[in-house]
Amino acid sequence: MHRLQQWLKLLIAILMFALASFAQKGHVPNLSAEADQRRQAMSLSISTLLTRNLHDVFGEDDPARRRAAIDEIFTEDCVFYEPSGRGYRGRDEIDRVAATIRATHPHFRYQPIAEPEELGNAGRVKWVEGHPGEAPTLAGTDFIIARDGRIAAIYLFFDKLP
């Protein structure tokens, strides 16, 4: 029995050594490192989502590129709330609203006036819009709630111009 225990301890030590060597070569994931990366990616993705929404959705003139961005950064069941309180559900509605807004002032550009802020699965960015090189004509704040790295809900608030 004693000899069997020694063999088992030796076998376990060999397996542990082999597993450690295998992991060092990148073949076995470090689960705690992966969890940290997921948390960091979600944190980073909120800022990216906010910025892409400004530029690639509401600031995009090309309908195909705008739609591709919407499909990439919004959940299928997303919702967009405007200051009037009206809500738009789904990617098709967000695409329609963004196209309508772009059509009313196609040369305006959105410019963040502060770095995006993040808190848990939410974030906000303050922005101004207007003709490049001229005084802004509108100011606002976009607030989002993210789910699985995509925008699930976006709330638009108009602000006083700085």
Side-chain angles (χ1 to χ4, degrees), residues 20-21 23 43 54 59 87 96 118 124 127 153 160:
S21 296
S43 176
L54 270 182
R96 187 182 63 74
E118 304 171 5
R124 69 179 179 177
W127 51 264
K160 292 182 181 180

Side-chain angles (χ1 to χ4, degrees), residues 113-156:
I113 57 174
E115 291 294 317
E117 297 177 87
E118 304 171 5
L119 183 60
N121 67 333
R124 69 179 179 177
V125 65
K126 293 179 177 282
W127 51 264
V128 293
E129 77 166 330
H131 289 284
E134 295 180 11
T137 58
L138 284 172
T141 299
D142 289 343
F143 176 83
I144 67 167
I145 297 176
R147 184 176 71 236
D148 299 327
R150 292 181 176 194
I151 298 172
I154 182 165
Y155 303 82
L156 167 61

Side-chain angles (χ1 to χ4, degrees), residues 12 37 45 90 93 100 110 115-116 125 131 137 139 159:
I12 290 171
Q37 286 174 345
S45 71
E93 281 292 294
T100 300
Y110 292 93
E115 291 294 317
V125 65
H131 289 284
T137 58
D159 301 330

Side-chain angles (χ1 to χ4, degrees), residues 4-132:
L4 180 60
Q5 287 176 335
Q6 286 180 331
W7 276 106
L8 284 174
K9 286 181 183 178
L10 179 61
L11 182 59
I12 290 171
I14 291 170
L15 286 173
M16 297 278 287
F17 177 76
L19 185 58
S21 296
F22 201 63
Q24 283 180 341
K25 293 179 182 172
H27 299 294
V28 177
N30 180 337
L31 297 179
S32 64
E34 279 187 356
D36 289 342
Q37 286 174 345
R38 277 195 305 274
R39 278 191 298 274
Q40 185 179 21
M42 184 62 179
S43 176
L44 294 173
S45 71
I46 290 171
S47 290
T48 300
L49 292 170
L50 286 160
T51 303
R52 290 203 55 206
N53 178 65
L54 270 182
H55 299 297
D56 298 348
V57 177
F58 287 91
E60 179 56 59
D61 295 323
D62 181 84
R65 285 196 304 249
R66 179 177 45 249
R67 183 56 195 232
I70 289 169
D71 290 343
E72 187 177 334
I73 69 171
F74 282 89
T75 62
E76 287 186 39
D77 61 343
C78 58
V79 63
F80 166 65
Y81 294 100
E82 64 177 31
S84 71
R86 183 160 182 210
Y88 302 92
R89 296 194 179 280
R91 293 174 179 162
D92 290 342
E93 281 292 294
I94 289 176
D95 191 19
R96 187 182 63 74
V97 168
T100 300
I101 291 170
R102 273 322 279 165
T104 62
H105 45 267
H107 302 293
F108 280 20
R109 296 292 174 250
Y110 292 93
Q111 182 64 42
I113 57 174
E115 291 294 317
E117 297 177 87
E118 304 171 5
L119 183 60
N121 67 333
R124 69 179 179 177
V125 65
K126 293 179 177 282
W127 51 264
V128 293
E129 77 166 330
H131 289 284

